């Protein structure tokens, strides 16, 4: 499975020059924790940053300005980790771990924004993979005549 199959294709975008208050209002309205900051060119939308709810609070406190007097670019995290839509789930999770991020803009082969993937998107995928692995282990143990500690109703470790 690749990230393009897991990511959300509904991404809320802003440019760096837009008022932070507008981005914060959109995040509140949509119940989302991040927006992607983009640079638009003819027929291109390139991610150049990301703003999370945490970035808004930290930016507001460190710059000592209210939302009405800040731009998206002033609080964004620049040079965001991105993931090609063809990247594997495990590879992307490892890159997220190394960079210590919870959300990653997803890009196509040209580097254009096509989606966003978050930790919340990946957890159900991993749970399904682990469930399938546990089923395989259980079936293998049953065929070999060994007790199956994963069988329903069996005591755990």
């Amino acid at each position: 499975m690749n990230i393009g199959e897991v990511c959300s294709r509904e991404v809320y975008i802003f440019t760096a020059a837009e008022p932070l208050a507008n981005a914060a209002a959109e995040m509140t309205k949509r119940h989302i924790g991040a927006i992607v900051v983009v640079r638009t060119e003819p027929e291109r939308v390139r991610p150049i940053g990301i703003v999370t709810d945490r970035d808004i609070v930290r930016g507001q406190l460190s710059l000592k300005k209210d939302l009405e007097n800040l731009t998206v670019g002033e609080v964004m995290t620049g040079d965001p980790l991105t993931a090609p839509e063809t990247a594997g789930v495990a590879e992307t999770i490892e890159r997220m771990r190394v960079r210590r991020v919870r959300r990653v803009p997803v890009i196509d082969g040209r580097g254009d924004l096509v989606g966003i993937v978050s930790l919340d998107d990946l957890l159900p995928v991993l749970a399904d993979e682990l469930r399938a692995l546990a089923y395989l282990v259980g079936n293998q143990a049953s065929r070999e005549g060994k007790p199956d500690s994963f069988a329903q109703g069996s005591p755990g470790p």
Side-chain angles (χ1 to χ4, degrees), residues 105-124:
V106 178
I107 56 174
D108 64 14
R110 293 178 8 150
D112 290 326
L113 181 68
V114 296
I116 190 166
V117 68
S118 71
L119 184 62
D120 291 344
D121 298 323
L122 295 168
L123 286 173

Side-chain angles (χ1 to χ4, degrees), residues 76-137:
M76 77 177 188
T77 299
D79 190 29
L81 173 65
T82 59
E85 61 186 332
T86 57
V89 169
E91 170 192 350
T92 302
I93 290 170
E94 176 60 15
R95 292 179 66 217
M96 291 171 75
R97 184 192 67 76
V98 168
R99 286 278 297 264
R100 296 183 175 154
V101 297
R102 298 172 56 95
R103 299 169 184 94
V104 177
V106 178
I107 56 174
D108 64 14
R110 293 178 8 150
D112 290 326
L113 181 68
V114 296
I116 190 166
V117 68
S118 71
L119 184 62
D120 291 344
D121 298 323
L122 295 168
L123 286 173
V125 172
L126 292 175
D128 288 345
E129 295 291 326
L130 288 172
R131 192 174 303 112
L133 185 59
Y135 179 77
L136 271 172
V137 169

Side-chain angles (χ1 to χ4, degrees), residues 55-65 74-75:
D55 292 327
I56 292 171
V57 172
R58 290 178 67 161
Q60 195 174 12
L61 291 173
S62 68
L63 297 171
K64 296 180 177 38
K65 294 181 181 179
E74 288 178 285
V75 302

Side-chain angles (χ1 to χ4, degrees), residues 2 4 10 19 36 42 47 51 53 81 88 97-98 100 116 125-127 139 143 148:
N2 63 39
E10 187 173 345
V36 178
V51 174
D53 40 14
L81 173 65
R97 184 192 67 76
V98 168
R100 296 183 175 154
I116 190 166
V125 172
L126 292 175
N139 278 345
R143 284 197 305 255
D148 181 6

